Every structure is written in C-alpha cells, then in structure tokens.
Amino acid sequence: MSIGNNIKILRTKYGLSQQDLADIAGVTNKAVSSWESNNKEPRMGAIEKIANHFGIKKSNLIDENGMELIDYVDSDNSTQDVYVKPLYGSIAAGTPIEMLEVEEYIEVPKNIALKYPKSFLLKVNGDSMNKVVPNNAYALITPQEEANNGDVVAVAVNGYDATLKRYYQLQHTTVLEPDSYNPEHIAKTFSGVEGEPSLRIIGKMVWFMSGYDNKY
C-alpha cells in the first residue's frame, strides 16, 4: 500500500476533507490530492506534522502495511479519547456582548477535534438559541467567513461584540434569526446602509456540549 493510500485511509477515518488535512500538514489541498492519487509523495516534514497531529508513528504512513498497525502505536495521543480545545471567550445568544478572551482549555471528543482541527470553543450565554444549543453550553466554532442560509454562525457585530444566530443572506439584507422557545427574541435585519452596525462572520457552529454546571 502506498503512502498516498495510507494518507487517504487516515483522512477518511476521521472524516476530514483534503483541505483539513492540508491545514494539518502545512500544505495546499492540491498537494494532498496529488499524494492520494500517487502522483507525488509528501516530504518528510509534512509526514512528521501529520504523524504528530494524530499521535502515530511516521512508519504508519510510510510502510506498506503501516495503517494496519495504527491501533498498536505506543503513543500518548493514540490512547486518548479526548483532545483539548481553547475556550476563547463568551458569546451571547441574546443581546450581543463583548467577547472576552479566556485562557482555558476544555476537553472534547477526539474524533470531533480531529474533524475540525482549527476549531475553538465559545460559551453561550442567553436563551435566544435554546432550541438548538442551551444556555451555558460550549459551542464549537470552525472559522470561516462565509455561510449558507440556515447555518448557525458566530457573528461579530461592530468588530468586537459577538452573537450566535441563524444566518440568512437575502437579496439586499442579512438576517440574524433566533431559534428560541422564548417569543421575546425576534430576528434582526441588516441592510448594510451607512450608520448600521457592521457584521463579520467569525465561524460556523459545528458541535456543542453542555456546560459542566448545567442542572437538569
């Protein structure tokens, strides 16, 4: 089995796109495509980055039957069921509040962390999205500047404040819509005219976990 096949097996095992793996290896997605099609072989530096990220040996990627031995690698990361993600601050799921940076790392399932290698956590405060994500939960955000209609996104308002809402881009307006059992929350529309708050998509919510202090 070639190096390219080994890389493809590893990538698909964790549900990653070629771009995700390219970010891990520090290369372009075209490079990953050329590896998997066996047109080129990765340099040792890229192999080392991939191996270190997944907690495996370089030989698992290089050797012909390396992927068959992946479950027997003597590596701290290979036996862990969780990874840690940074919690960058709080995000309001109601009235936008200033997003404060917090130096804290929180454990998330390993398969989630590997699927979204650049993701980070934000804590949800408020009930305007409680049909989707409860108050005090941790929302996992994968950075991106664009979104599809209906996506739950973290949006920066005027550069510093942030809110979590469903996103809709209409012909001339952007709508941030709550998804709440509380009828007091209503959609807000932004037309981009001078004097209105500026909007910037921080990223898309791809997963969440309940807070440790939630009561049921």
Side-chain angles (χ1 to χ4, degrees):
M1 187 175 294
S2 67
I3 296 177
N5 290 338
N6 286 340
I7 288 174
K8 186 173 183 179
I9 289 173
L10 184 67
R11 179 178 65 79
T12 55
K13 176 181 179 180
Y14 289 108
L16 302 178
S17 68
Q18 290 185 340
Q19 184 61 60
D20 292 333
L21 190 65
D23 292 337
I24 293 168
V27 298
T28 66
N29 60 351
K30 290 183 179 179
V32 175
S33 177
S34 67
W35 299 344
E36 294 186 355
S37 60
N38 296 310
N39 291 327
K40 292 184 179 180
E41 288 192 354
R43 295 183 177 181
M44 190 55 63
I47 292 175
E48 186 171 6
K49 287 180 180 179
I50 295 171
N52 289 342
H53 180 89
F54 291 100
I56 62 176
K57 293 180 179 179
K58 288 181 287 186
S59 59
N60 291 119
L61 297 172
I62 297 172
D63 292 352
E64 183 175 354
N65 297 316
M67 293 307 295
E68 296 178 10
L69 304 174
I70 195 169
D71 292 335
Y72 304 97
V73 177
D74 183 15
S75 166
D76 290 339
N77 283 341
S78 65
T79 59
Q80 291 178 351
D81 293 324
V82 295
Y83 271 27
V84 293
K85 285 291 184 180
L87 176 67
Y88 282 147
S90 294
I91 185 167
T95 302
I97 64 173
E98 185 175 3
M99 191 170 61
L100 301 175
E101 183 174 351
V102 177
E103 294 183 0
E104 183 179 357
Y105 287 84
I106 295 177
E107 293 180 346
V108 302
K110 181 177 179 180
N111 64 319
I112 297 294
L114 293 177
K115 187 173 182 179
Y116 304 105
K118 290 188 174 183
S119 61
F120 56 89
L121 290 163
L122 294 172
K123 189 172 183 179
V124 176
N125 293 322
D127 66 354
S128 74
M129 290 297 293
N130 63 5
K131 284 186 178 180
V132 180
V133 53
N135 183 33
N136 290 325
Y138 296 105
L140 189 70
I141 307 297
T142 185
Q144 60 186 60
E145 296 181 355
E146 298 181 354
N148 296 319
N149 283 348
D151 284 347
V152 177
V153 298
V155 181
V157 182
N158 280 338
Y160 297 99
D161 297 337
T163 186
L164 190 71
K165 292 290 186 293
R166 286 204 182 274
Y167 171 89
Y168 295 93
Q169 183 62 58
L170 307 181
Q171 186 173 4
H172 299 294
T173 59
T174 300
V175 179
L176 300 182
E177 185 173 276
D179 201 345
S180 174
Y181 295 108
N182 185 347
E184 293 182 3
H185 297 292
I186 60 174
K188 294 184 178 181
T189 301
F190 302 85
S191 59
V193 299
E194 186 175 353
E196 276 194 349
S198 62
L199 303 179
R200 181 178 65 86
I201 297 175
I202 300 171
K204 175 183 175 181
M205 189 184 81
V206 292
W207 182 81
F208 76 89
M209 60 184 287
S210 295
Y212 300 122
D213 54 352
N214 275 12
K215 295 181 180 180
Y216 301 97

